Amino acid sequence: MYLISVLVLGLTFNATLRLCRLSLTKSETALLTAYSSVINFFGPLQSGPAFRAVYLKQKYKLSITQYTLATLVYYAFFGTFSGMLLLSGILGWWLIGLIIALLLVAYGVSRHPRIAPRVKSLAMSNWYYLAAATLAQVLIVAVIYYVELNSVSNGISVSQALIYTGAANLALFVSITPGAIGFREAFLLFTQNLHHIDASTIVAANIIDRAMYIVLMLILGIYIITTHAKKKLNVSD
């Protein structure tokens, strides 16, 4: 499932580039996604997006400002979907009203005199593709967490797993450690009153998750080496 999540991550990256009116080949997208994922996990301050921005600037002359803006749109979708999962247990159908309110706020912000010119630099007609890819990314992570949690403690419901996923995802926005180590666990413990999963289950599930993610990084590392990704991407030391 984590391998599937990497494929979906490639789709979100491709969708982000669509906002910048740029398209890469499937092979280059795969190599860049794998390479930046490894950097994002082991590098300082989750530096994968910064690596992609520099790479696109050097090879395709894509403005770092434009790519950063497109990435912020992606983060907005990711944060919104994750926040909806986190609050799903207490808002219920009120989530529909929250979605409408967020759309209105986003529309109002995009019309601001200082922001509108920058937004126009993006091909926002492709927003739906990015939204769908980001939603798929969030949902596959929710499935992964659901399986991990139930492997530790039987009886964890889908609703609990969704709230748990929302909290874990939002931790990524403030983490400065590889893989959000420590920050994610803290967020999950802090939001226990929402997902009602006990601390021992959270710790055990996260140990399993870290182990599986390291295996994934090793697989991606082998893929990078065997495909000579560093040479093909022309990445210098």
Side-chain angles (χ1 to χ4, degrees):
M1 286 187 290
Y2 258 124
L3 289 174
I4 295 174
S5 73
V6 174
L7 295 177
V8 176
L9 184 61
L11 292 178
T12 62
F13 175 53
N14 181 59
T16 303
L17 291 182
R18 283 194 176 195
L19 295 184
C20 301
R21 300 178 179 86
L22 179 63
S23 178
L24 306 184
T25 64
K26 292 181 180 179
S27 61
E28 187 176 13
T29 299
L31 290 174
L32 192 54
T33 299
Y35 204 95
S36 60
S37 294
V38 173
I39 291 177
N40 197 61
F41 183 77
F42 293 105
L45 301 177
Q46 299 194 40
S47 48
F51 167 78
R52 290 194 294 268
V54 173
Y55 172 84
L56 295 170
K57 172 67 174 179
Q58 292 179 345
K59 186 170 183 178
Y60 296 100
K61 308 303 179 184
L62 177 63
S63 167
I64 291 181
T65 300
Q66 187 177 13
Y67 180 71
T68 300
L69 187 59
T71 301
L72 289 176
V73 175
Y74 158 69
Y75 283 148
F77 282 127
F78 186 83
T80 298
F81 292 141
S82 298
M84 289 166 58
L85 294 185
L86 177 64
L87 299 176
S88 60
I90 58 177
L91 291 182
W93 289 103
W94 286 100
L95 274 176
I96 297 176
L98 177 62
I99 294 172
I100 295 175
L102 288 173
L103 289 174
L104 291 174
V105 170
Y107 178 78
V109 171
S110 67
R111 302 289 291 181
H112 191 278
R114 294 185 179 180
I115 297 177
R118 296 183 180 274
V119 173
K120 288 181 179 179
S121 69
L122 300 177
M124 289 304 293
S125 59
N126 292 319
W127 70 269
Y128 61 90
Y129 183 73
L130 179 57
T134 307
L135 179 60
Q137 179 190 4
V138 171
L139 291 180
I140 187 61
V141 171
V143 174
I144 290 172
Y145 288 158
Y146 177 77
V147 173
E148 290 174 348
L149 288 167
N150 275 279
S151 71
V152 174
S153 176
N154 292 326
I156 300 297
S157 68
V158 172
S159 176
Q160 286 178 292
L162 291 177
I163 298 171
Y164 178 99
T165 301
N169 287 348
L170 291 175
L172 295 173
F173 286 101
V174 296
S175 64
I176 57 175
T177 58
I181 294 176
F183 287 87
R184 187 171 75 186
E185 288 78 3
F187 263 62
L188 291 170
L189 292 172
F190 183 73
T191 55
Q192 274 185 290
N193 289 335
L194 296 177
H195 53 67
H196 304 293
I197 299 175
D198 62 83
S200 60
T201 299
I202 291 174
V203 173
N206 274 270
I207 291 174
I208 294 174
D209 185 75
R210 302 299 185 191
M212 290 299 97
Y213 203 78
I214 289 176
V215 171
L216 174 68
M217 291 297 101
L218 291 174
I219 293 174
L220 292 182
I222 293 172
Y223 171 72
I224 290 170
I225 294 173
T226 56
T227 58
H228 306 286
K230 187 173 182 179
K231 182 178 180 181
K232 290 181 179 178
L233 295 176
N234 193 28
V235 177
S236 59
D237 293 328

